[in-house]
């Protein structure tokens, strides 16, 4: 089986590509390298360019006529950046995805796995969600994902493109073999900030402390990126069973365990040798209380359940941070 992975030189896309290779699935990588890294595509069929570039997509399918599915991971993903630049985010995540869908239809592609986000949900009073929970995205980034899902559902209702949206919760960790990980030296999410604080010997800033959680900090469902990648492999294998006919559906990918930011710091400090203290700070633009999944749909439809623990995700993130510059050839 051969699969086109759009955004396949980014953090999640490259990890999905590795999981596919390990499972005997041949990845073909497409990435414009705005945030992805060329190093993550080494040894794979790689096409540098944009998902909206019709002639490029046509050439990829001409060179690889045996592509059976597309994994669409190409997107900008930083919430505060989306607040500052909504035009750029809607252009990159929505407008280009619409163009991409048209190019896939023209080339006879009938299967798409779409990287969506659990940030589209309106969490219930207990901060849990399932696939039928109301959608109420709280940032431009989250809205781009909700708009794309609705757009793809409209397309799949009448066109021969079936779409399985995988709604990620909060990825952590790295490829356990350390082939790939977070490409950014200074990522914006909580675990990345903890690693940065440890490296610099400064307190970690808990951004937002007045949320309706057990300790006031935001709550998240931290899922190991290798478990996410394994879910994509499972989804590729189960695709025709999940969507035997035209249409679209969505599946949550999370652990089912809610971890607050303060609890994440406690877990982090149990893994590292030198504990990192914390200070309270104001919430960042676009942040919210968060949520975690209560759904078992991924196990029922895909036969998938997460294997890695929170501590293993933290440990793999630290191991990747230690080798990142060696793998990528310097800071970025």
């Amino acid at each position: 089986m051969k699969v086109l992975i759009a955004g396949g030189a980014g953090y999640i896309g490259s990890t999905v590509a590795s999981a596919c290779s390990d499972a005997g699935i041949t990845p073909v990588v497409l990435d414009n390298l705005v945030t992805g890294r060329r190093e993550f595509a080494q040894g794979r069929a790689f096409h540098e360019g944009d998902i909206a570039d019709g002639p490029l997509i046509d050439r990829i399918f001409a060179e690889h006529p045996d592509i059976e599915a597309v994994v669409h991971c190409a997107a900008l993903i930083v919430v505060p950046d989306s607040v500052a630049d909504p035009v750029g985010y809607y252009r990159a995540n929505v407008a280009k995805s619409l163009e991409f869908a048209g190019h896939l239809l023209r080339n006879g592609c009938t299967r798409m796995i779409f990287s969506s986000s659990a940030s589209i949900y309106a969490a219930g009073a207990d901060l849990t969600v399932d696939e039928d929970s109301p959608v109420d995205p709280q940032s431009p980034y989250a809205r781009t994902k909700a708009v794309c899902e609705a757009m793809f559902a409209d397309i799949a209702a009448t066109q021969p493109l079936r779409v399985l949206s995988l709604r990620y919760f909060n990825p952590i960790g790295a490829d356990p073999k350390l082939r790939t990980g977070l490409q950014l030296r200074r990522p914006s999410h909580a675990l990345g900030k903890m690693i940065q604080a440890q490296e610099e010997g400064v307190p970690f800033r808990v951004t937002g402390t007045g949320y309706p959680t057990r300790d006031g900090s935001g709550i998240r469902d931290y899922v190991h990126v290798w478990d996410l990648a394994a879910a994509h492999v499972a989804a590729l294998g189960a695709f025709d069973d999940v969507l035997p006919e035209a249409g679209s559906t969505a599946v949550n990918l999370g652990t089912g365990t809610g971890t607050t930011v303060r609890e994440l710091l406690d877990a982090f400090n149990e893994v590292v040798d030198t504990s990192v203290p914390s200070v309270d700070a104001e919430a960042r633009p676009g942040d919210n209380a968060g949520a975690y999944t209560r759904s078992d749909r991924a196990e029922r439809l895909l036969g998938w359940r997460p294997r890695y623990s929170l501590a293993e995700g933290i440990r793999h993130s630290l191991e990747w941070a230690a080798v990142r510059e060696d793998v990528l050839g310097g800071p970025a």
Side-chain angles (χ1 to χ4, degrees), residues 240-319:
D240 288 346
D241 292 327
V242 175
L243 285 170
E245 299 176 350
S248 62
T249 194
V251 175
N252 284 351
L253 296 182
T255 66
T257 299
T259 302
T260 69
V261 174
R262 296 192 195 279
E263 291 166 348
L264 179 66
L265 182 60
D266 289 341
F268 181 84
N269 284 334
E270 289 180 5
V271 172
V272 297
D273 294 329
T274 303
S275 294
V276 175
S278 67
V279 295
D280 294 351
E282 294 296 317
R284 304 175 307 169
D287 277 351
N288 56 60
Y292 57 102
T293 188
R294 61 171 178 264
S295 170
D296 66 350
R297 185 179 292 183
E299 184 172 1
R300 287 188 289 108
L301 296 185
L302 308 182
W304 172 87
R305 64 170 63 185
R307 295 175 46 215
Y308 287 97
S309 68
L310 180 64
E312 288 171 312
I314 294 169
R315 190 173 297 110
H316 289 150
S317 293
L318 289 163
E319 290 172 356

Side-chain angles (χ1 to χ4, degrees), residues 29-83:
V29 174
L30 167 65
D31 202 295
N32 60 13
L33 302 183
V34 169
T35 59
R37 294 294 298 248
R38 189 182 303 275
E39 295 90 338
F40 287 166
Q42 286 181 353
R44 295 172 179 150
F46 173 56
H47 299 265
E48 181 179 351
D50 202 275
I51 60 172
D53 184 341
L56 173 60
I57 305 302
D58 293 345
R59 186 166 70 251
I60 291 171
F61 277 91
E63 293 179 8
H64 305 277
D66 49 344
I67 288 173
E68 296 183 38
V70 168
V71 177
H72 178 11
C73 298
L76 300 176
I77 63 169
V78 180
V79 170
D81 289 354
S82 77
V83 175

Side-chain angles (χ1 to χ4, degrees), residues 14-25 44 179 226 229-230 233:
S14 64
T15 311
V16 171
S18 293
C20 284
S21 293
D22 290 356
I25 299 169
R44 295 172 179 150
R179 290 169 289 188
W226 191 255
V233 173

